[in-house]
Amino acid sequence: AALEPSDDAYASIDDAETLTRRRTSIERNRREAARVVKAPDQPWPSETIFVSMASYRDPECAKTVARAFARAAEPNRIHIGLPGPAPSTR
């Protein structure tokens, strides 16, 4: 359930603290990802990479999909799961 501005828990959220924790997490993830490298004399694994995205109406969705393929060393390994709108129940 979403917090409403009138909820006590909502008032206790410190935006600056939340932003700091998020930045710390992002920086840690980037450092860990940078350590994952392919050995120069070894081929990339043959497994596929599945990217599931639940927000097809998000204006950033198309950019995210394009970046996934543009940044991939082997774009043919990427598979995107992007659900569309639910069928009408009428």
Side-chain angles (χ1 to χ4, degrees):
L3 290 176
E4 296 295 327
S6 59
D7 294 337
D8 291 336
Y10 187 90
S12 70
I13 296 172
D14 180 358
D15 291 334
E17 179 185 342
T18 302
L19 183 59
T20 300
R21 281 188 281 146
R22 182 170 176 235
R23 282 186 183 146
T24 302
S25 176
I26 290 169
E27 290 167 2
R28 182 180 60 247
N29 290 343
R30 286 181 178 163
R31 282 193 307 271
E32 290 176 10
R35 292 188 321 195
V36 178
V37 295
K38 179 184 80 66
D41 59 338
Q42 297 294 318
W44 285 101
S46 61
E47 292 89 4
T48 59
I49 300 167
F50 180 74
V51 179
S52 178
M53 298 174 60
S55 184
Y56 74 97
R57 286 189 175 171
D58 185 333
E60 297 294 314
C61 183
K63 291 179 186 177
T64 301
V65 171
R67 274 190 299 250
F69 287 104
R71 293 180 176 178
E74 294 186 28
N76 59 319
R77 291 178 49 208
I78 296 179
H79 296 269
I80 306 282
L82 189 62
S88 176
T89 57
R90 293 182 186 188

